[in-house]
Amino acid sequence: MSDKVIKKEELPNVLKILKETYEVFVPVKEKGFYRFKVLEDENKVDLNFTNTRLSPKSLLFPQSERMFEYSLDEADEDAYVIKEPPKDYAPTVVVGMRPCDAKALRLVDVNFVNPEFKDPWWARRLESLTLIGLGCKEPCSTCFCTSVNCGPFNEEGLDVLLFDLGKNYMARAITEKGAQLLKLAGVSEDATSDLNKQAEESKAKAEKQIISHVPTDKLKEKKAIDLFDASFWDEVAFACLNCGTCTFLCPTCWCFDIQDEVNKKKGDRIRNWDSCMFPLFTLHASGHNPRSEKVQRVRQRFMHKLKYYLDKYDNGVACVGCGRCVNYCPVNIDIREVFKLMNET
Amino acid sequence: MPDNPYLPYPVRIQQIITETEDRNLKTFKLGFLNKDDEEQFKYIPGQFCELSMAGKGEIPIGIASSPTEKGFLLFTVNKTGVATKYLHNMDEGGIIGVRGPLGNWFPWKEMEGKNVLVIGGGFAFTTLRSSIVYMLHPENRNRFRDITLVYGARSPGLLLYRKELAEWEKRNDIHVHITVDATDDPDWPYNVGFVPAVTEQKIKTSENSYALVCGPPIMIKFTQPVLEKVGFEPERIIMSLEMRMKCGIGICGRCNIGDKYVCKDGPVFSLAQLNELPKEY
């Protein structure tokens, strides 16, 4: 399918058509920050954002999710039997996802869907989702996506990629799912070769604007145990408060906890996001804790992203260079510095 | 496993056996509510399950029964936290869930035709019980050569499966060395001494042998040099690890040691494998 054009004034109309078939998510500005929310008024959609503060991972992997339900009422025939409640997996479109966040979903997917086990909730949501990405024509100073197999116009994980070209968007269908969606939305006008050229220029310009780079070339060959025993971890962890902001915002952090919650005679089994920054994460019932020290937990986070993941899946590092953790860390711990320490010492 | 790997099979507690004199360890004999689930549940000694108590949560526990024992599963549970305390207070007939079998198993293929030395300490004897029952089964006994057991606890009343230990002791197809750290029983018929010391006394060769070692960290720490001294290679010293777990299927992210998840890539590791991993367990 050749690249298509959507005139900016036609975008509300396109969204309106999509709304008839899909649940549509768009970035919405709230209290100074953008986040993905269900589209209400297609005439008020604002795609002039850098990125959402929270990563969109919660669209597939909600911060809190009911897994099962059960009755604790002895009078019920199926008391104490744990059951899966029905769930809705309506077709959903996300409009305006940044390429780094889409790539992150691909990185996380190998965890949730692996050769032995398939996480049913993640897998079903991913199937129901169509992702319309928006290339970053103005990347910010903390972006370093081009160093980690990604980029401001990276296509991996997206179904459609939009190029913002002034009065028009150029829409590139990346998957069959994306092509079908464009067809359904009535986007049929082919992009002119001139528009195509503009898109390529915009992409090249954005890539050049990314001035932050991290080295990754030696991470693979280093031994995990040597990196684990490296002398720099105390320094990296020194200022850390173990607040968990980095894991909360990170598009590739997926750890979760499972808890039972009971109200009178009904109970739910729920999974909640968890964080390797918290000492409870690894605390045994006996009191033993393999990561009781702050430095062990900080090391775990970086080792997981930049070494264990790399070794386990041979899928690159578990970082897409979005820069969220750099921007929001209250004590300015900078993963770009840790890349350098791990790659070069 | 069912299509949803987080969904437990419902089981009924058929019997509860108090194992130790401090009443902190009980064995739960579980039967499947649905025949189909029972047929689907195929396990190998060394694996574990998540026991699932509605309203309380899940706990990872080694399977103490052997697949050669049909119609039930056994789990021996130490009373430690919220879920185990609740389970200890349940009655026979109660309904819980079982999710599994999870994790890997002892290297049964590699151990065929070999001598097997089993070393256990305290309540870390559950999957070792499974292994011994499995090996002693008439269908399997010929697959292995000499089987030797060294099993110890702090006192006689803290040994698990005492009736079975006494029966194994009488058999001639397994060498059994039972020991306690100390006892005031003048008629105690077995050994007195720590597991590493008794191992050193009784085990003189590593020829053609594998060692399965499960116990508290302090026991493992002092047993390891004893085994190395008689020539056990790190590839043939096999251990089973514990870790805080939730999902049990390598997804939730908490039980890793380096790039290995104890729940999925373990819980069974050889010493050679552990030597390659960070010491974070």
Side-chain angles (χ1 to χ4, degrees):
Chain A
M1 188 178 186
S2 54
D3 295 341
K4 303 290 175 194
V5 191
I6 306 171
K7 292 199 176 68
K8 280 199 178 166
E9 67 261 24
E10 281 171 14
L11 185 67
N13 202 30
V14 169
L15 294 174
K16 198 176 164 196
I17 300 170
L18 290 179
K19 225 162 79 169
E20 286 163 18
T21 315
Y22 298 92
E23 181 150 58
V24 181
F25 282 84
V26 290
V28 174
K29 195 172 188 176
E30 252 183 13
K31 294 179 187 164
F33 295 100
Y34 284 86
R35 65 181 298 180
F36 281 98
K37 290 193 81 172
V38 175
L39 171 66
E40 282 170 7
D41 184 350
E42 56 272 11
N43 292 306
K44 288 189 184 155
V45 169
D46 164 18
L47 292 180
N48 294 310
F49 70 117
T50 309
N51 202 354
T52 52
R53 180 168 55 160
L54 296 171
S55 96
K57 67 182 172 186
S58 60
L59 295 172
L60 283 102
F61 174 43
Q63 192 180 346
S64 191
E65 171 167 36
R66 181 162 67 154
M67 307 167 80
F68 301 117
E69 60 186 10
Y70 43 80
S71 161
L72 299 175
D73 188 345
E74 302 271 359
D76 285 341
E77 202 179 303
D78 56 359
Y80 304 108
V81 176
I82 293 161
K83 293 184 170 172
E84 193 174 353
K87 276 191 189 173
D88 181 25
Y89 295 93
T92 303
V93 177
V94 184
V95 180
M97 186 180 278
R98 291 302 186 182
C100 55
D101 289 336
K103 157 114 187 175
L105 297 179
R106 301 315 311 161
L107 294 179
V108 176
D109 191 56
V110 299
N111 177 60
F112 280 106
V113 179
N114 61 54
E116 294 105 323
F117 298 106
K118 179 158 123 183
D119 187 280
W121 302 293
W122 169 278
R124 278 180 229 157
R125 279 208 189 84
L126 193 61
E127 271 166 39
S128 69
L129 208 57
T130 309
L131 301 177
I132 303 183
L134 178 61
C136 298
K137 75 176 186 182
E138 299 287 342
C140 55
S141 63
T142 47
C143 292
F144 56 98
C145 52
T146 49
S147 311
V148 284
N149 301 319
C150 189
F153 287 82
N154 198 56
E155 296 178 357
E156 195 184 350
L158 289 169
D159 297 297
V160 174
L161 176 62
L162 297 179
F163 296 73
D164 181 347
L165 301 173
K167 289 182 184 154
N168 302 300
Y169 290 110
M170 191 181 90
R172 174 174 295 164
I174 292 152
T175 62
E176 184 52 35
K177 210 174 175 183
Q180 291 299 330
L181 177 132
L182 289 178
K183 217 168 166 185
L184 176 99
V187 177
S188 57
E189 189 188 333
D190 285 341
T192 59
S193 58
D194 186 45
L195 217 53
N196 237 307
K197 206 176 135 209
Q198 279 182 45
E200 288 310 316
E201 281 166 9
S202 168
K203 181 178 165 183
K205 188 174 157 237
E207 281 170 0
K208 225 181 256 170
Q209 266 184 42
I210 291 178
I211 45 163
S212 231
H213 298 286
V214 294
T216 60
D217 55 312
K218 297 190 198 96
L219 289 170
K220 185 86 196 176
E221 72 203 41
K222 296 209 171 193
K223 284 181 85 172
I225 201 156
D226 294 339
L227 284 172
F228 183 89
D229 290 328
S231 58
F232 50 73
W233 292 115
D234 278 318
E235 202 185 319
V236 171
F238 180 73
C240 179
L241 309 170
N242 276 162
C243 68
T245 300
C246 49
T247 58
F248 187 72
L249 299 177
C250 179
T252 69
C253 271
W254 65 64
C255 291
F256 61 86
D257 187 19
I258 300 175
Q259 290 289 334
D260 280 37
E261 285 191 13
V262 175
N263 185 5
K264 292 179 184 149
K265 294 284 180 189
K266 294 275 176 211
D268 293 318
R269 183 156 292 164
I270 292 168
R271 73 164 163 201
N272 302 313
W273 289 359
D274 206 344
S275 170
C276 58
M277 289 293 106
F278 303 152
L280 277 179
F281 189 63
T282 47
L283 178 67
H284 294 206
S286 65
H288 172 64
N289 191 346
R291 291 198 281 266
S292 59
E293 305 286 330
K294 174 175 84 174
V295 61
Q296 296 170 315
R297 300 193 287 274
V298 171
R299 173 173 58 192
Q300 162 64 19
R301 174 172 151 78
F302 290 119
M303 284 294 282
H304 186 210
K305 297 239 170 273
L306 309 189
K307 183 59 183 166
Y308 302 153
Y309 182 94
L310 179 77
D311 287 352
K312 196 173 186 79
Y313 301 106
D314 203 17
N315 195 26
V317 292
C319 174
V320 291
C322 72
R324 285 185 179 89
C325 59
V326 181
N327 274 323
Y328 293 105
C329 176
V331 296
N332 296 323
I333 293 175
D334 191 331
I335 194 170
R336 296 172 297 180
E337 296 303 316
V338 182
F339 265 103
K340 282 179 206 149
L341 286 169
M342 287 178 68
N343 195 65
E344 266 138 43
T345 8
Chain B
M1 296 275 276
D3 289 344
N4 185 333
Y6 300 98
L7 185 66
Y9 299 116
V11 293
R12 190 182 302 281
I13 301 174
Q14 294 176 347
Q15 194 188 352
I16 303 174
I17 304 148
T18 301
E19 292 285 350
T20 52
E21 65 187 4
D22 65 1
R23 308 180 65 80
N24 267 332
L25 282 129
K26 289 184 180 178
T27 295
F28 296 84
K29 187 176 180 183
L30 308 177
F32 287 90
L33 288 194
N34 306 314
K35 201 82 198 149
D36 289 350
D37 296 348
E38 183 172 351
E39 274 159 26
Q40 212 186 344
F41 191 96
K42 300 251 185 289
Y43 67 102
I44 303 172
Q47 290 190 286
F48 71 98
C49 288
E50 288 280 352
L51 299 186
S52 194
M53 276 67 71
K56 296 294 166 188
E58 297 190 312
I59 41 169
I61 305 285
I63 308 173
S65 52
S66 156
T68 52
E69 299 172 297
K70 304 289 180 197
F72 61 89
L73 296 173
L74 295 176
F75 294 90
T76 303
V77 178
N78 185 29
K79 188 168 71 178
T80 316
V82 174
T84 53
K85 208 171 280 172
Y86 175 83
L87 182 60
H88 265 243
N89 286 332
M90 284 187 78
D91 295 318
E92 290 174 357
I95 303 290
I96 64 168
V98 162
R99 200 152 64 74
L102 303 169
N104 66 353
W105 44 82
F106 294 121
W108 296 110
K109 278 228 167 72
E110 291 84 342
M111 293 195 295
E112 274 190 27
K114 308 283 195 305
N115 302 315
V116 181
L117 168 62
V118 177
I119 302 178
F123 53 79
F125 191 60
T126 58
T127 56
L128 295 182
R129 179 209 174 263
S130 170
S131 301
I132 290 170
V133 173
Y134 176 76
M135 288 189 285
L136 293 181
H137 191 270
E139 258 176 38
N140 296 324
R141 185 61 194 89
N142 291 337
R143 292 166 53 200
F144 308 97
R145 293 178 64 181
D146 284 358
I147 301 173
T148 308
L149 167 66
V150 179
Y151 175 42
R154 273 177 289 147
S155 65
L158 293 179
L159 288 163
L160 298 180
Y161 319 123
R162 267 166 295 169
K163 263 194 199 152
E164 277 177 313
L165 289 177
E167 284 164 23
W168 295 341
E169 164 79 18
K170 285 180 215 141
R171 294 176 69 128
N172 57 14
D173 56 355
I174 176 170
H175 311 287
V176 177
H177 306 291
I178 298 164
T179 185
V180 291
D181 295 354
T183 178
D184 48 16
D185 176 4
D187 301 322
W188 174 247
Y190 308 117
N191 302 285
V192 176
F194 294 125
V195 166
V198 174
T199 307
E200 189 162 23
Q201 230 176 69
K202 309 284 182 188
I203 308 303
K204 299 295 175 200
T205 172
S206 62
E207 209 193 321
N208 201 26
S209 299
Y210 268 82
L212 308 181
V213 187
C214 295
I218 189 84
M219 183 204 94
I220 290 178
K221 187 178 164 188
F222 288 102
T223 304
Q224 207 175 297
V226 172
L227 293 177
E228 279 165 0
K229 210 167 122 191
V230 284
F232 276 91
E233 291 156 8
E235 288 76 15
R236 291 191 172 195
I237 300 178
I238 312 296
M239 299 196 263
S240 181
L241 301 188
E242 288 189 321
M243 201 56 101
R244 181 177 187 146
M245 294 174 187
K246 290 286 175 170
C247 73
I249 54 176
I251 293 181
C252 82
R254 76 192 55 238
C255 70
N256 75 297
I257 302 172
D259 69 348
K260 301 279 181 276
Y261 287 117
V262 174
C263 69
K264 195 174 95 175
D265 304 311
V268 175
F269 295 94
S270 71
L271 180 59
Q273 287 172 312
L274 291 179
N275 286 342
E276 296 287 310
L277 293 173
K279 300 278 167 291
E280 197 173 55
Y281 45 88

